[in-house]
Amino acid sequence: MPKWGLTMTEGTVVQWLVGEGEEVSKGDEIIEVESEKINNAVESPASGVLRRHVAQEGDVLPVGGLLGVIADASVPDSEIDAFVEGFRESFVPQEEEAVSSEPETVEVDGREIQYLKMGEEAATPLILIPGFGGDINIFVFNQQTLSAERPVYAIDLPGHGGSSKDVDGGDLAFFVRTVAGFMDALGIERAHLAGHSMGGLVAAAFALEHTDRVVSLTLISSAGLGEEINGDYVEGFIAANRRRQMKDVLGLLFANPELVNRQLVNDVLRYKRLDGVDNALRTIAENLFPGGHQANVLDLGSLRVPVLAVWGSEDAIVPVSHTENLPEGARVEVIEGSGHMSHMEEAGRFNRIISGFLSEAER
C-alpha cells in the first residue's frame, strides 16, 4: 500500500485491474485504491506475472501493507506462499513512523505563506504552485516522487490552504510578487517552476518578469494561454457550501468524477468555511476570471527557458486547445483520458514526464 500524502496511514482496495496470472509491465496500473483524497491506481513497481492478489476488494491495509505479489512465471507457488506468510509475520505498520516533512510557514510582505518542502538533494529546487481553490495537497501524488532528485517546495498562494487569506487586490501582479517574496525569504535564487491552472498563470507571469530566476517552466492545464475558462466551475466552487454541491463541482475537475471521494469533499468544505476564504476567492475571481473569461492572456514568445505543458485530453476547465498558443519549441504532453487534474489522475505518467523534462532542462 503506497503512502499518498503526509497524513495517509491506510488505504482501501477498490478493485483489482489485473487478474492473477496476467503479465504486467513496470508502470502498468494494477489495482485501484481509495485514499484520503481521491481514488487512484497503483502502478506496478516491476515487470513480471501478477501471481497473487493478497489483498481483496474492500480490504483496508496500512501503508506498506502487501497488496499482491509479482514474480517470474518460473517461481514455484510454494515460494510465493512462503513469501506472503513471511511478510505477514514480520510486517510492522508504519503509522507510528515519524513524519519526515511537515508544512512550514514564512512571512512574505506581512502575510503568512504555508509551504511544504520535501527532498534534501543539492540541486536546483522545484516550486509547485496550485490553482484556484487548491492547496499543497493537490500535489500529494507527485511531490514525494519528484523530490528524489531535488528539493521540492509546494506553496499555498494567499487566500488558499494554510496561507493568509488577505489577497490584497487579488490581481496577477500580487501573486507574482508573492512568489518572488517567497523565494527571497527562503534564499532561493533560481528554481524550476510548475503551476497548475491559475498557478500556471502565476508561474508563467513570474517567468516573464523574472526570467533570470527561472530554470524551466511547467504548465499543468494552465490558465493564461487563452480567454476561455469554465466560468460555471469558478462560480460553482465559490457558491458550493453543501456536500452534494461540492462533489458535483469537484467532479468537473476529473475525467472520471467518481474519483472524488467523501474525504476530499469534506476537506474542501472545511477550507471554504475558514474566515476570509469566501472574500478571497471572490476577489481573485473578479480580477482573474471576470464574467467567466480569463483576464490575463500571456504572450510567452519572449521566454528563453524550456517550457513544458501537460494537459488532460478531457479537461473541462481550461481547453486543451490552448496549448496551440504556446511558443515554438515548447513541449506539449497530452494525457489521454484524464481531465483537469492529470497530475492526480495519471500521477505515475505525469511524474515520469516532468522528471525527464527537469533533467533535460538542467543539461
Side-chain angles (χ1 to χ4, degrees), residues 1-5 7-13 33 42 45 54-55 60-69 83-84 86-97 144:
M1 179 64 68
K3 184 175 179 64
W4 292 326
T7 59
M8 179 175 174
T9 59
E10 63 184 23
T12 302
V13 175
V33 167
V42 178
V54 178
V60 178
L61 270 68
V63 169
L66 187 63
L67 292 167
V69 178
F83 170 79
V84 173
F87 183 94
R88 286 171 168 163
E89 291 178 353
S90 62
F91 174 66
V92 178
Q94 302 173 3
E95 57 186 320
E96 300 300 330
E97 184 180 0
Q144 188 167 12

Short mmCIF file of all heavy atoms in Angstrom, two decimals, residues 1-5 7-13 33 42 45 54-55 60-69 83-84 86-97 144:
data_model
loop_
_atom_site.label_atom_id
_atom_site.label_comp_id
_atom_site.label_asym_id
_atom_site.label_seq_id
_atom_site.Cartn_x
_atom_site.Cartn_y
_atom_site.Cartn_z
N MET A 1 0.85 -1.18 0.00
CA MET A 1 0.00 0.00 0.00
C MET A 1 0.89 1.24 0.00
O MET A 1 1.68 1.44 0.90
CB MET A 1 -0.90 0.00 1.25
CG MET A 1 -1.81 1.21 1.36
SD MET A 1 -3.03 1.34 0.04
CE MET A 1 -4.11 -0.07 0.41
N PRO A 2 0.77 2.07 -1.06
CA PRO A 2 1.62 3.26 -1.11
C PRO A 2 1.17 4.30 -0.10
O PRO A 2 0.05 4.24 0.42
CB PRO A 2 1.41 3.75 -2.55
CG PRO A 2 0.03 3.31 -2.89
CD PRO A 2 -0.14 1.96 -2.21
N LYS A 3 2.06 5.27 0.13
CA LYS A 3 1.72 6.39 1.00
C LYS A 3 1.54 7.62 0.14
O LYS A 3 2.50 8.13 -0.44
CB LYS A 3 2.83 6.64 2.03
CG LYS A 3 2.50 7.75 3.04
CD LYS A 3 3.60 7.85 4.09
CE LYS A 3 3.30 8.97 5.09
NZ LYS A 3 2.07 8.71 5.87
N TRP A 4 0.31 8.08 0.00
CA TRP A 4 0.00 9.25 -0.80
C TRP A 4 -0.34 10.40 0.15
O TRP A 4 -1.46 10.55 0.59
CB TRP A 4 -1.19 8.99 -1.71
CG TRP A 4 -0.92 8.00 -2.82
CD1 TRP A 4 0.26 7.83 -3.49
CD2 TRP A 4 -1.85 7.08 -3.40
NE1 TRP A 4 0.13 6.87 -4.44
CE2 TRP A 4 -1.15 6.39 -4.42
CE3 TRP A 4 -3.19 6.78 -3.17
CZ2 TRP A 4 -1.75 5.40 -5.20
CZ3 TRP A 4 -3.78 5.81 -3.96
CH2 TRP A 4 -3.08 5.14 -4.95
N GLY A 5 0.66 11.17 0.51
CA GLY A 5 0.43 12.31 1.39
C GLY A 5 0.89 12.04 2.80
O GLY A 5 1.01 10.90 3.25
N THR A 7 -0.46 12.53 5.68
CA THR A 7 -1.38 12.04 6.71
C THR A 7 -1.96 10.67 6.40
O THR A 7 -2.70 10.13 7.20
CB THR A 7 -2.54 13.04 6.91
OG1 THR A 7 -3.23 13.19 5.67
CG2 THR A 7 -2.01 14.39 7.36
N MET A 8 -1.66 10.12 5.25
CA MET A 8 -2.23 8.82 4.88
C MET A 8 -1.59 7.71 5.70
O MET A 8 -0.37 7.56 5.74
CB MET A 8 -2.01 8.56 3.39
CG MET A 8 -2.56 7.21 2.92
SD MET A 8 -2.39 6.99 1.13
CE MET A 8 -2.94 5.29 0.96
N THR A 9 -2.40 6.94 6.39
CA THR A 9 -1.90 5.81 7.18
C THR A 9 -2.45 4.48 6.68
O THR A 9 -1.93 3.42 7.02
CB THR A 9 -2.29 5.97 8.66
OG1 THR A 9 -3.72 6.05 8.77
CG2 THR A 9 -1.66 7.22 9.25
N GLU A 10 -3.52 4.52 5.86
CA GLU A 10 -4.11 3.29 5.34
C GLU A 10 -4.88 3.61 4.06
O GLU A 10 -5.16 4.77 3.75
CB GLU A 10 -5.05 2.67 6.37
CG GLU A 10 -6.23 3.56 6.71
CD GLU A 10 -7.12 2.99 7.78
OE1 GLU A 10 -6.64 2.16 8.57
OE2 GLU A 10 -8.30 3.38 7.83
N GLY A 11 -5.17 2.58 3.31
CA GLY A 11 -5.96 2.73 2.09
C GLY A 11 -6.89 1.55 1.92
O GLY A 11 -6.66 0.47 2.48
N THR A 12 -7.95 1.77 1.15
CA THR A 12 -8.94 0.72 0.92
C THR A 12 -8.85 0.21 -0.52
O THR A 12 -8.83 1.01 -1.46
CB THR A 12 -10.36 1.27 1.16
OG1 THR A 12 -10.45 1.77 2.50
CG2 THR A 12 -11.41 0.18 0.97
N VAL A 13 -8.80 -1.08 -0.67
CA VAL A 13 -8.75 -1.68 -2.01
C VAL A 13 -10.14 -1.55 -2.65
O VAL A 13 -11.13 -2.04 -2.11
CB VAL A 13 -8.34 -3.16 -1.94
CG1 VAL A 13 -8.42 -3.79 -3.33
CG2 VAL A 13 -6.94 -3.29 -1.37
N VAL A 33 -7.05 2.03 -5.51
CA VAL A 33 -7.07 2.20 -4.06
C VAL A 33 -7.76 3.51 -3.72
O VAL A 33 -7.56 4.53 -4.39
CB VAL A 33 -5.63 2.20 -3.51
CG1 VAL A 33 -5.59 2.69 -2.06
CG2 VAL A 33 -5.03 0.80 -3.60
N VAL A 42 -2.70 2.14 -8.44
CA VAL A 42 -1.32 1.83 -8.07
C VAL A 42 -0.65 1.21 -9.28
O VAL A 42 -1.19 0.29 -9.90
CB VAL A 42 -1.27 0.85 -6.89
CG1 VAL A 42 0.17 0.50 -6.54
CG2 VAL A 42 -1.98 1.45 -5.68
N PRO A 45 5.33 -1.89 -9.66
CA PRO A 45 6.71 -1.46 -9.44
C PRO A 45 7.72 -2.28 -10.23
O PRO A 45 8.91 -1.97 -10.23
CB PRO A 45 6.89 -1.69 -7.93
CG PRO A 45 5.99 -2.84 -7.63
CD PRO A 45 4.80 -2.69 -8.54
N VAL A 54 -3.04 -10.60 -2.87
CA VAL A 54 -3.01 -10.83 -1.42
C VAL A 54 -4.14 -10.07 -0.74
O VAL A 54 -4.83 -10.58 0.13
CB VAL A 54 -1.64 -10.43 -0.84
CG1 VAL A 54 -1.63 -10.62 0.69
CG2 VAL A 54 -0.53 -11.25 -1.49
N ALA A 55 -4.31 -8.80 -1.14
CA ALA A 55 -5.42 -8.00 -0.60
C ALA A 55 -6.64 -8.19 -1.49
O ALA A 55 -6.51 -8.33 -2.71
CB ALA A 55 -5.02 -6.54 -0.56
N VAL A 60 -8.95 -3.03 4.03
CA VAL A 60 -8.26 -1.80 4.44
C VAL A 60 -6.87 -2.19 4.91
O VAL A 60 -6.73 -2.97 5.86
CB VAL A 60 -9.02 -1.07 5.56
CG1 VAL A 60 -8.26 0.18 5.99
CG2 VAL A 60 -10.43 -0.72 5.10
N LEU A 61 -5.85 -1.67 4.23
CA LEU A 61 -4.47 -2.02 4.56
C LEU A 61 -3.71 -0.80 5.06
O LEU A 61 -3.89 0.32 4.54
CB LEU A 61 -3.74 -2.56 3.33
CG LEU A 61 -3.80 -4.06 3.08
CD1 LEU A 61 -5.22 -4.47 2.71
CD2 LEU A 61 -2.82 -4.46 1.98
N PRO A 62 -2.82 -0.99 6.03
CA PRO A 62 -1.95 0.12 6.44
C PRO A 62 -0.93 0.42 5.35
O PRO A 62 -0.64 -0.45 4.50
CB PRO A 62 -1.28 -0.41 7.71
CG PRO A 62 -1.28 -1.89 7.53
CD PRO A 62 -2.55 -2.21 6.80
N VAL A 63 -0.39 1.63 5.37
CA VAL A 63 0.67 1.97 4.43
C VAL A 63 1.81 0.97 4.57
O VAL A 63 2.24 0.64 5.68
CB VAL A 63 1.18 3.40 4.70
CG1 VAL A 63 2.46 3.68 3.92
CG2 VAL A 63 0.11 4.41 4.31
N GLY A 64 2.29 0.46 3.46
CA GLY A 64 3.36 -0.54 3.48
C GLY A 64 2.84 -1.96 3.45
O GLY A 64 3.62 -2.90 3.28
N GLY A 65 1.52 -2.12 3.60
CA GLY A 65 0.93 -3.46 3.58
C GLY A 65 1.06 -4.11 2.22
O GLY A 65 1.22 -3.44 1.19
N LEU A 66 0.96 -5.42 2.19
CA LEU A 66 1.18 -6.19 0.96
C LEU A 66 -0.11 -6.31 0.16
O LEU A 66 -1.09 -6.93 0.61
CB LEU A 66 1.72 -7.58 1.30
CG LEU A 66 2.15 -8.44 0.12
CD1 LEU A 66 3.32 -7.81 -0.63
CD2 LEU A 66 2.53 -9.85 0.60
N LEU A 67 -0.12 -5.72 -1.04
CA LEU A 67 -1.29 -5.79 -1.91
C LEU A 67 -1.28 -7.06 -2.75
O LEU A 67 -2.31 -7.70 -2.94
CB LEU A 67 -1.31 -4.57 -2.84
CG LEU A 67 -1.58 -3.22 -2.18
CD1 LEU A 67 -1.27 -2.09 -3.14
CD2 LEU A 67 -3.03 -3.13 -1.72
N GLY A 68 -0.12 -7.39 -3.30
CA GLY A 68 -0.03 -8.55 -4.17
C GLY A 68 1.42 -8.93 -4.37
O GLY A 68 2.32 -8.32 -3.81
N VAL A 69 1.62 -9.94 -5.18
CA VAL A 69 2.98 -10.43 -5.44
C VAL A 69 3.19 -10.54 -6.94
O VAL A 69 2.40 -11.17 -7.65
CB VAL A 69 3.21 -11.81 -4.79
CG1 VAL A 69 4.63 -12.30 -5.12
CG2 VAL A 69 3.01 -11.75 -3.29
N PHE A 83 6.70 -16.53 0.80
CA PHE A 83 6.98 -15.09 0.87
C PHE A 83 5.84 -14.34 1.54
O PHE A 83 6.04 -13.49 2.40
CB PHE A 83 7.22 -14.53 -0.54
CG PHE A 83 7.29 -13.03 -0.58
CD1 PHE A 83 8.45 -12.37 -0.19
CD2 PHE A 83 6.19 -12.27 -0.97
CE1 PHE A 83 8.52 -10.99 -0.20
CE2 PHE A 83 6.25 -10.89 -0.97
CZ PHE A 83 7.41 -10.25 -0.60
N VAL A 84 4.60 -14.67 1.12
CA VAL A 84 3.44 -13.98 1.70
C VAL A 84 3.36 -14.24 3.20
O VAL A 84 3.12 -13.33 4.01
CB VAL A 84 2.14 -14.44 0.99
CG1 VAL A 84 0.92 -13.85 1.70
CG2 VAL A 84 2.15 -14.03 -0.47
N GLY A 86 5.79 -15.08 5.23
CA GLY A 86 6.89 -14.40 5.92
C GLY A 86 6.65 -12.91 6.06
O GLY A 86 6.96 -12.31 7.09
N PHE A 87 6.05 -12.31 5.01
CA PHE A 87 5.75 -10.87 5.08
C PHE A 87 4.75 -10.60 6.20
O PHE A 87 4.91 -9.66 6.99
CB PHE A 87 5.19 -10.39 3.74
CG PHE A 87 4.92 -8.91 3.69
CD1 PHE A 87 5.87 -8.03 3.20
CD2 PHE A 87 3.72 -8.39 4.17
CE1 PHE A 87 5.63 -6.65 3.18
CE2 PHE A 87 3.48 -7.03 4.15
CZ PHE A 87 4.43 -6.16 3.66
N ARG A 88 3.71 -11.42 6.26
CA ARG A 88 2.67 -11.20 7.26
C ARG A 88 3.22 -11.32 8.67
O ARG A 88 2.80 -10.61 9.59
CB ARG A 88 1.53 -12.19 7.04
CG ARG A 88 0.65 -11.85 5.85
CD ARG A 88 -0.33 -12.94 5.53
NE ARG A 88 -1.35 -12.49 4.57
CZ ARG A 88 -2.13 -13.31 3.88
NH1 ARG A 88 -2.00 -14.63 4.04
NH2 ARG A 88 -3.03 -12.83 3.05
N GLU A 89 4.15 -12.22 8.87
CA GLU A 89 4.72 -12.43 10.22
C GLU A 89 5.65 -11.30 10.63
O GLU A 89 5.75 -10.98 11.82
CB GLU A 89 5.48 -13.76 10.24
CG GLU A 89 4.57 -14.98 10.13
CD GLU A 89 5.36 -16.28 10.10
OE1 GLU A 89 6.60 -16.21 10.05
OE2 GLU A 89 4.72 -17.35 10.13
N SER A 90 6.31 -10.68 9.66
CA SER A 90 7.33 -9.68 10.01
C SER A 90 6.89 -8.25 9.82
O SER A 90 7.54 -7.32 10.31
CB SER A 90 8.59 -9.92 9.16
OG SER A 90 8.30 -9.76 7.77
N PHE A 91 5.76 -8.04 9.12
CA PHE A 91 5.37 -6.67 8.77
C PHE A 91 4.94 -5.88 10.00
O PHE A 91 4.14 -6.34 10.82
CB PHE A 91 4.24 -6.68 7.75
CG PHE A 91 3.70 -5.30 7.43
CD1 PHE A 91 4.48 -4.36 6.79
CD2 PHE A 91 2.40 -4.96 7.79
CE1 PHE A 91 3.99 -3.10 6.50
CE2 PHE A 91 1.89 -3.71 7.51
CZ PHE A 91 2.69 -2.76 6.86
N VAL A 92 5.47 -4.66 10.10
CA VAL A 92 5.07 -3.73 11.16
C VAL A 92 4.50 -2.49 10.49
O VAL A 92 5.19 -1.83 9.71
CB VAL A 92 6.28 -3.33 12.03
CG1 VAL A 92 5.85 -2.31 13.09
CG2 VAL A 92 6.89 -4.55 12.67
N PRO A 93 3.23 -2.14 10.74
CA PRO A 93 2.64 -0.94 10.13
C PRO A 93 3.47 0.30 10.42
O PRO A 93 4.05 0.44 11.51
CB PRO A 93 1.25 -0.85 10.78
CG PRO A 93 0.94 -2.25 11.17
CD PRO A 93 2.26 -2.85 11.58
N GLN A 94 3.49 1.21 9.44
CA GLN A 94 4.33 2.39 9.57
C GLN A 94 3.61 3.59 10.15
O GLN A 94 4.15 4.68 10.14
CB GLN A 94 4.86 2.76 8.18
CG GLN A 94 5.65 1.64 7.52
CD GLN A 94 6.00 1.99 6.08
OE1 GLN A 94 5.70 3.08 5.58
NE2 GLN A 94 6.65 1.05 5.41
N GLU A 95 2.41 3.40 10.65
CA GLU A 95 1.63 4.57 11.07
C GLU A 95 2.25 5.33 12.23
O GLU A 95 1.98 6.51 12.42
CB GLU A 95 0.22 4.16 11.45
CG GLU A 95 0.15 3.12 12.54
CD GLU A 95 -1.29 2.66 12.75
OE1 GLU A 95 -2.18 3.50 12.70
OE2 GLU A 95 -1.50 1.46 12.93
N GLU A 96 3.13 4.68 13.00
CA GLU A 96 3.77 5.38 14.10
C GLU A 96 5.10 5.99 13.69
O GLU A 96 5.77 6.63 14.47
CB GLU A 96 4.01 4.43 15.26
CG GLU A 96 2.73 3.81 15.83
CD GLU A 96 1.78 4.88 16.35
OE1 GLU A 96 2.26 5.93 16.80
OE2 GLU A 96 0.56 4.67 16.28
N GLU A 97 5.48 5.77 12.41
CA GLU A 97 6.74 6.30 11.94
C GLU A 97 6.72 7.83 11.95
O GLU A 97 5.72 8.45 11.63
CB GLU A 97 7.00 5.81 10.52
CG GLU A 97 8.34 6.22 9.96
CD GLU A 97 8.51 5.69 8.54
OE1 GLU A 97 7.58 5.03 8.07
OE2 GLU A 97 9.54 5.94 7.94
N GLN A 144 6.50 13.84 -3.40
CA GLN A 144 7.50 12.93 -2.84
C GLN A 144 8.33 12.27 -3.93
O GLN A 144 9.56 12.16 -3.82
CB GLN A 144 6.81 11.86 -1.99
CG GLN A 144 7.81 10.99 -1.21
CD GLN A 144 7.13 10.17 -0.15
OE1 GLN A 144 5.91 10.06 -0.10
NE2 GLN A 144 7.91 9.60 0.75
#
